[in-house]
Amino acid sequence: MTADLGFGMTLVALVLAVYGGAAAGVGARTGRAALVESAQHAALGVFVLITACFALLTYAFLTFDFSVRYVATNTNLGTPFYYRITGVWGALEGSIILWSWMLALYTLIVVLRHRSTARELYPWALATMLGILAFFLLVMTVAAPPFQRLTPVPADGRGLNPLLEDTGMITHPVALYLGFTGFTVPFAFAMAALATGRVGDAWLALTRRWAIVAWYFLSLGLLIGGWWSYHVLGWGGYWAWDPVENAAFMPWLTGTAFLHSVMIQERRRMLKLWNISLVILTFGLTLFGTFLTRSGVIASVHSFTQGAIGILFLSFLALVLLTALGLVAWRWEVLRSQGDLDSVVSRESAFLLNNVLLVAAAFTVFFGTVFPLLSEAVRGVKVSVGAPFFNQVNVPLFLSLIFLMGVGPLIAWRRASLDNLARNFLWPVVLGVVAAAAAFVLGVRSSLAALAFAAAAFVLATIALDFGRATRARLRAGESLLPAMGGLVRRHNRRYGGFVVHLGILIIALGVTGSQAWSVQTEMTLRPGETAELVGYRVRFDGLTAVEESNHFKVVGAFTVSNGRVLGVLRPAKKFYPQEQSPIAYVDYRLGLKEDIYLVLGDFARDGRQATVKLQVNRLVSWIWIGGAVLTLGALLAILPDRRATA
Amino acid sequence: MSRLWRWLIPLATVPVLALLAYGFRANPRDIPSPLVGRPAPRFALATLDGAPLALEAHRGKVVVVNFWASWCYPACYEEAPVLERSWRAYRGRGVVVVGVDIQDKPEAAQKFVRDFGLTFPNAQDPTGTVSVDYGVYGVPETFFVDRQGRIRVKHVGAVTDDVFRETVDRLLAEAAKP
Amino acid sequence: MSREWLRRLAAPVLVLLVSVAAGAQPPAAPVSEDTVHEVATQLRCVVCQSLSVADSPSEMASQMRGIIRARLAAGERPAEVIQYFVDRYGEWILLAPRRRGFNLLVWLFPLVAVATGLVLVATIVRRWTRRRRDGVAAPVNVDPAMSERIRREMERGT
């Protein structure tokens, strides 16, 4: 019954979405408001139906309804309560429902916010969003139906993938998908701009906040993914340059580029063609991401499945790219820039350089990701392109970007005079050089790490300089310190929000530099009582215990960690799940500001006579998570409504 | 001129899409082995019963080297009866089936052999040296070695009766070099 | 005098002979974990996706690390150990493609991308600055007070 009801609702939602998209499109073309209103009602209907589907599926999970195949494959009677909820989006079909639900939600918000403010663009944007929603509903109906019936009804289910039994499962997909689907809205408005020919500022102003929100959620999703990888997967790292990770990283790169180039179009009315293309590229990359995850075309640890669904996604990607870019070519004349610039040394140039580096990085990651496929197609030889390649190739790009983070906000628009340059950059450059020297004195021998410190000091100095100067101006005008700073930040929240975001990125960059340059590790087989040592930490193996849990069997190793004084006992484990072929490593760690100590249990003797343990001391990794928190504050600050008087 | 150049932008996506479409035909998990056509790496292990097991000892016969594990379900469980059947059928005709068990505890290996009643020699590879020597990246994998000691076929996945029969017949038909 | 000369030569010759004899034996190499780690980071763990042999917690990776350790201890150089794995698994086992032949495409691509971008930007910026110099921008009639206020606002960069 559940299965049939769910399938029926999905089908109706699909029909409504198709109708709504068509109605909005025709209404936009012919100017008939009644059609557009009808499309709005359809959008509301779709949202209600998908919400109902979601609720129904969750109910099936909570009540162990194994007559639904998806429930049987992803839970069993031992699955804990909260994982029965998060398990709803734990596999392919559920992930499509989640995606569709978010799309429907965003569509509804677009309807509510923009139906009266963007008369010309809104109908086309609505049509685009409903069209995209229709595609995902098609996938849900045809290729990945979550409500397939399973007969005969089994007594117990298979169970959730144990790696997904983690709090990260609650937040990572949700944040990531909010980011991915969030970029649909700027894309929809870009399509509207192309369709109507109004490629000026209207569509940009509308989508600025959307772009920041989407970008933020994507950043959050990536960071949580890194955290999940670090504390669950047992390899001591947070980023593996896995193809699906790359697929989420690329739209982040182009989205960041877009956030910056938007400012040029806002201020100087230039780069219209570029901005529209960037939005299309970003949205295309989000589709590419879902394609990669679900098609199995490039093997990845994240891949859900293989099969017909991949063909559907690739076809849709092709349709979107060819249509959107075709529209760009059609509207070429209107899009071409009437830009002018006084000098090469200016903020415009800094932003252009920022865009070049970000988009080049995105293309590099893309080419590296698909290169194995290309090599096989052309040469018939399979190669791998992994972390060593991506790290080597991207580091110079990212270092340059960090440096630009300091230059961009302070350099003048149009033309930066020598005086302007000296006033803004002399001290920061000096401090940067001092930082590099200090790093060298402190024993840092890696030139890249020293450069990273220099760049970080430089950027920090520019932020402090700007904030300090502005505060001082207010102090001189008679305000006291805290109200001056607060008022400054509130009145220019976009600028200072941006600064705080840059600060967050800086902290993350330092965390990455530290962990890549100075983490150490070792592996040893120990008998009870024996100790392994690494950079001052002593880890003593105490023994093994076996524990039976609701849906798995666990062997835990107890290790006492000390560095002069006893820090505590870490308990890395190996979990044996009946539905999995090999055990899952469950790490234990002790986080710190400067370094984390991290233990992975390897092979062990049944009687506890010995155990192999991998010991890692990871430096500065916590800064990555701290940087993420700072980034959140900055993004929040940046999307607050403008307080400045609009002159 | 720019009228036509602008259409290059959407057209530029076509080769990329084509490449991705090619990906549907390729299987990313299927890695061709560089060892096919080369001499099979030697090994000297001890069977589960303690008898010595060396590849060299069977030079002149067709050798089927099968890598398996007790935790490899369902593939190894499907092919174990196939291998046993084929072993009994070809035993007297100059064919040897050899099983190498990887990443298993001895008790698990013994149980597997007992459960399937395997009569061909099986040895454990505790350090993984032999499996890496053969470029094994998953189980089950089976190598068909000809009479001159060269690997001729590498079969990834469970072996079926047909695969076994066709390959071994072909290798047996080749005249042994003096 | 010749005996004196011989005696003087004896010691260094003896030292030379002993060191040659010692060098002829296989080195009792205490393998540093760092070297094992370094080799392992270049190889791909065959049962995981995208993880290196150094990082992977799987048993297969653990065995591969053991093999790396054993080979290094037997006197092989890191490059030889890596070549051993390539001979068994193919180029696929290297986590970064060798920089030769067709693979150069992927290594050079970033440089080409950045260079292309910079050339594009340079062309655009040149066109824009030339346009400005040629006075193509439409003049805006703004009174001086407003102009000053605009300038101050822009420099503050809000």
Side-chain angles (χ1 to χ4, degrees):
Chain A
M1 214 284 280
T2 311
D4 297 326
L5 180 61
F7 183 73
M9 289 200 287
T10 317
L11 203 54
V12 174
L14 171 63
V15 169
L16 270 180
V18 170
Y19 164 74
V26 172
R29 191 92 170 81
T30 57
R32 287 164 55 190
L35 276 177
V36 177
E37 276 208 42
S38 175
Q40 279 169 199
H41 295 143
L44 179 63
V46 170
F47 176 70
V48 167
L49 281 168
I50 300 185
T51 311
C53 284
F54 210 161
L56 190 62
L57 195 59
T58 313
Y59 179 71
F61 265 76
L62 287 175
T63 55
F64 298 110
D65 186 352
F66 294 135
S67 74
V68 179
R69 171 180 299 180
Y70 184 64
V71 179
T73 335
N74 288 295
T75 52
N76 54 31
L77 291 168
T79 309
F81 171 73
Y82 31 90
Y83 294 134
R84 270 181 277 142
I85 298 183
T86 66
V88 173
W89 54 79
L92 174 65
E93 294 86 339
S95 73
I96 305 273
I97 284 199
L98 186 65
W99 190 292
S100 310
W101 184 77
M102 286 176 178
L103 259 184
L105 180 65
Y106 277 136
T107 310
L108 202 59
I109 299 178
V110 166
V111 167
L112 292 172
R113 267 191 71 106
H114 297 295
R115 66 182 156 184
S116 24
T117 56
R119 278 287 144 72
E120 292 262 359
L121 296 174
Y122 165 70
W124 288 107
L126 183 62
T128 313
M129 294 218 57
L130 282 171
I132 296 170
L133 194 50
F135 168 72
F136 278 93
L137 285 168
L138 180 71
V139 171
M140 230 166 91
T141 321
V142 167
F147 289 106
Q148 259 189 340
R149 215 156 348 144
L150 184 61
T151 47
V153 179
D156 197 1
R158 190 177 164 274
L160 191 63
N161 183 338
L163 287 173
L164 301 179
E165 285 197 358
D166 182 82
T167 46
M169 195 51 201
I170 305 173
T171 43
H172 169 66
V174 171
L176 208 59
Y177 284 16
L178 279 174
F180 280 144
T181 51
F183 279 115
T184 314
V185 179
F187 174 74
F189 278 101
M191 291 294 100
L194 286 173
T196 57
R198 293 174 181 277
V199 297
D201 301 330
W203 80 271
L204 264 191
L206 281 171
T207 56
R208 185 186 75 89
R209 278 218 182 74
W210 283 107
I212 295 184
V213 168
W215 177 90
Y216 170 69
F217 278 120
L218 196 53
S219 313
L220 191 64
L222 287 167
L223 284 168
I224 297 177
W227 164 244
W228 188 357
S229 167
Y230 188 62
H231 85 151
V232 169
L233 293 186
W235 62 284
Y238 43 84
W239 188 264
W241 294 106
D242 177 83
V244 170
E245 290 174 1
N246 296 348
F249 191 46
M250 288 186 279
W252 185 87
L253 287 168
T254 56
T256 309
F258 177 66
L259 282 181
H260 290 88
S261 65
V262 151
M263 290 189 239
I264 299 189
Q265 186 167 341
E266 270 186 325
R267 283 274 185 308
R268 309 290 325 284
R269 298 201 176 359
M270 306 192 289
L271 295 181
K272 294 177 218 166
L273 172 65
W274 177 244
N275 281 324
I276 285 204
S277 308
L278 257 187
V279 168
I280 295 173
L281 186 61
T282 307
F283 179 65
L285 284 170
T286 64
L287 286 181
F288 177 68
T290 68
F291 163 73
L292 256 194
T293 322
R294 290 168 183 77
S295 68
V297 160
I298 300 177
S300 156
V301 70
H302 292 77
S303 291
F304 285 76
T305 185
Q306 299 179 317
I309 195 173
I311 301 180
L312 259 180
F313 270 104
L314 187 60
S315 314
F316 187 60
L317 179 63
L319 178 68
V320 164
L321 282 178
L322 290 171
T323 313
L325 292 176
L327 280 174
V328 167
W330 177 51
R331 288 287 191 198
W332 189 266
E333 294 302 323
V334 194
L335 286 167
R336 275 173 61 197
S337 219
Q338 295 96 43
D340 69 82
L341 199 61
D342 284 3
S343 156
V344 172
V345 184
S346 58
R347 192 175 300 186
E348 290 88 334
S349 297
F351 276 36
L352 282 171
L353 197 56
N354 152 300
N355 266 232
V356 164
L357 290 170
L358 282 168
V359 174
F363 276 133
T364 303
V365 171
F366 182 80
F367 198 57
T369 307
V370 300
F371 188 72
L373 212 51
L374 185 66
S375 173
E376 193 181 341
V378 170
R379 255 172 94 205
V381 173
K382 280 200 156 84
V383 294
S384 300
V385 179
F389 168 79
F390 287 110
N391 284 333
Q392 258 190 57
V393 147
N394 279 321
V395 163
L397 294 174
F398 293 149
L399 265 178
S400 317
L401 278 165
I402 294 179
F403 176 70
L404 274 179
M405 260 189 348
V407 171
L410 263 59
I411 196 172
W413 289 100
R414 282 186 168 273
R415 183 223 311 263
S417 62
L418 214 55
D419 175 61
N420 168 266
L421 288 174
R423 203 161 65 95
N424 284 316
F425 299 115
L426 185 59
W427 274 113
V429 166
V430 165
L431 278 167
V433 170
V434 165
F440 190 74
V441 161
L442 286 172
V444 175
R445 285 296 171 269
S446 151
S447 49
L448 283 174
L451 265 174
F453 276 127
F458 171 74
V459 176
L460 208 56
T462 57
I463 297 178
L465 194 63
D466 185 273
F467 192 53
R469 241 189 271 148
T471 312
R472 200 175 48 191
R474 283 200 166 214
L475 287 175
R476 259 193 242 127
E479 277 186 86
S480 45
L481 185 64
L482 282 175
M485 297 207 292
L488 195 62
V489 166
R490 186 64 189 90
R491 198 169 126 84
H492 303 284
N493 62 300
R494 272 182 65 176
R495 181 176 175 79
Y496 289 103
F499 274 144
V500 175
V501 168
H502 282 181
L503 198 59
I505 300 273
L506 208 60
I507 299 174
I508 292 175
L510 285 173
V512 169
T513 310
S515 70
Q516 298 289 63
W518 301 312
S519 294
V520 287
Q521 51 96 67
T522 186
E523 194 173 17
M524 277 187 74
T525 307
L526 299 171
R527 284 192 285 265
E530 287 187 339
T531 316
E533 261 197 63
L534 190 63
V535 291
Y537 286 96
R538 301 171 67 86
V539 175
R540 189 189 70 217
F541 174 42
D542 294 329
L544 295 175
T545 31
V547 180
E548 183 96 42
E549 302 270 356
S550 69
N551 59 345
H552 63 271
F553 173 76
K554 187 162 78 171
V555 172
V556 187
F559 295 86
T560 307
V561 177
S562 57
N563 68 341
R565 57 184 180 85
V566 172
L567 294 172
V569 179
L570 292 181
R571 294 173 210 279
K574 267 205 146 115
K575 295 188 176 180
F576 298 84
Y577 286 82
Q579 74 267 30
E580 298 295 321
Q581 285 181 0
S582 28
I584 312 276
Y586 183 78
V587 306
D588 205 0
Y589 46 81
R590 202 165 175 286
L591 298 180
L593 198 57
K594 199 169 51 109
E595 57 200 13
D596 305 337
I597 182 155
Y598 192 94
L599 290 178
V600 186
L601 182 65
D603 212 8
F604 54 87
R606 267 289 155 84
D607 49 13
R609 255 182 316 114
Q610 64 175 35
T612 308
V613 66
K614 184 165 157 199
L615 173 61
Q616 273 186 320
V617 176
N618 300 320
R619 265 60 191 263
L620 297 188
V621 175
S622 297
W623 289 36
I624 299 177
W625 324 125
I626 296 174
V630 174
L631 200 119
T632 307
L633 290 172
L636 279 171
L637 194 55
I639 58 171
L640 288 176
D642 269 337
R643 274 282 188 83
R644 286 169 299 150
T646 39
Chain B
M1 199 190 51
S2 120
R3 295 226 75 211
L4 290 177
W5 280 106
R6 60 176 80 169
W7 295 102
L8 214 62
I9 299 184
L11 285 175
T13 59
V14 173
V16 177
L17 294 165
L19 179 64
L20 295 176
Y22 168 81
F24 289 123
R25 288 189 14 204
N27 181 356
R29 293 173 211 274
D30 180 25
I31 318 294
S33 170
L35 292 174
V36 173
R38 301 243 293 273
R42 286 190 258 169
F43 57 80
L45 298 168
T47 65
L48 295 173
D49 308 313
L53 179 65
L55 184 64
E56 284 303 283
H58 301 292
R59 176 65 75 99
K61 298 195 209 148
V62 171
V63 186
V64 180
V65 184
N66 170 255
F67 288 86
W68 59 275
S70 71
W71 43 264
C72 143
Y73 179 85
C76 296
Y77 286 63
E78 281 166 13
E79 78 171 359
V82 171
L83 287 167
E84 178 62 22
R85 267 201 301 276
S86 310
W87 161 242
R88 294 198 192 168
Y90 281 86
R91 194 167 178 167
R93 296 166 54 178
V95 176
V96 174
V97 177
V98 166
V100 180
D101 173 38
I102 68 170
Q103 295 165 26
D104 252 335
K105 305 260 189 273
E107 311 87 59
Q110 306 262 15
K111 181 172 188 300
F112 189 90
V113 169
R114 250 198 331 269
D115 286 349
F116 286 97
L118 302 179
T119 55
F120 56 86
N122 277 284
Q124 280 202 294
D125 179 23
T127 56
T129 333
V130 178
S131 64
V132 168
D133 233 5
Y134 275 76
V136 169
Y137 58 90
V139 279
E141 285 183 14
T142 311
F143 296 81
F144 293 84
V145 182
D146 67 12
R147 292 197 233 243
Q148 283 82 42
R150 277 179 322 197
I151 298 178
R152 300 294 292 277
V153 172
K154 173 179 174 180
H155 183 89
V156 173
V159 173
T160 62
D161 295 283
D162 290 334
V163 167
F164 191 100
R165 197 172 2 100
E166 279 159 20
T167 320
V168 171
D169 282 345
R170 185 157 48 92
L171 294 180
L172 278 176
E174 291 170 2
K177 254 208 273 252
Chain C
M1 203 206 36
S2 58
R3 207 167 280 183
E4 163 83 73
W5 180 81
L6 259 175
R7 236 207 330 258
R8 285 219 185 158
L9 207 52
V13 167
L14 207 56
V15 169
L16 197 61
L17 281 174
V18 168
S19 49
V20 166
Q25 276 151 30
V31 179
S32 87
E33 279 303 305
D34 284 341
T35 321
V36 174
H37 182 76
E38 210 193 292
V39 171
T41 50
Q42 297 178 53
L43 296 172
R44 176 178 184 159
C45 162
V46 297
V47 292
C48 332
Q49 304 294 341
S50 315
L51 282 186
S52 69
V53 168
D55 288 332
S56 168
S58 72
E59 189 164 354
M60 184 90 206
S62 181
Q63 289 187 337
M64 284 170 81
R65 287 197 291 272
I67 293 174
I68 296 173
R69 204 172 285 125
R71 290 193 155 250
L72 286 172
E76 277 189 33
R77 281 174 293 129
E80 290 171 333
V81 177
I82 291 181
Q83 187 57 42
Y84 165 73
F85 280 97
V86 174
D87 288 338
R88 298 285 180 265
Y89 287 92
E91 278 185 58
W92 168 85
I93 197 151
L94 294 173
L95 264 179
R98 286 208 164 125
R99 286 175 220 235
R100 62 172 86 119
F102 189 71
N103 296 335
L104 283 174
L105 259 181
V106 79
W107 283 104
L108 293 177
F109 183 85
L111 279 124
V112 168
V114 174
T116 315
L118 288 175
V119 163
L120 261 163
V121 165
T123 324
I124 292 175
V125 168
R126 176 141 4 113
R127 194 186 306 161
W128 285 351
T129 49
R130 192 180 311 134
R131 195 178 280 147
R132 183 79 179 116
R133 268 202 311 279
D134 297 346
V136 173
V140 176
N141 291 325
V142 176
D143 76 287
M146 177 60 114
S147 179
E148 175 58 26
R149 185 166 159 225
I150 291 175
R151 188 191 67 79
R152 248 188 290 121
E153 276 274 89
M154 286 188 75
E155 271 194 340
R156 217 180 295 149
T158 43

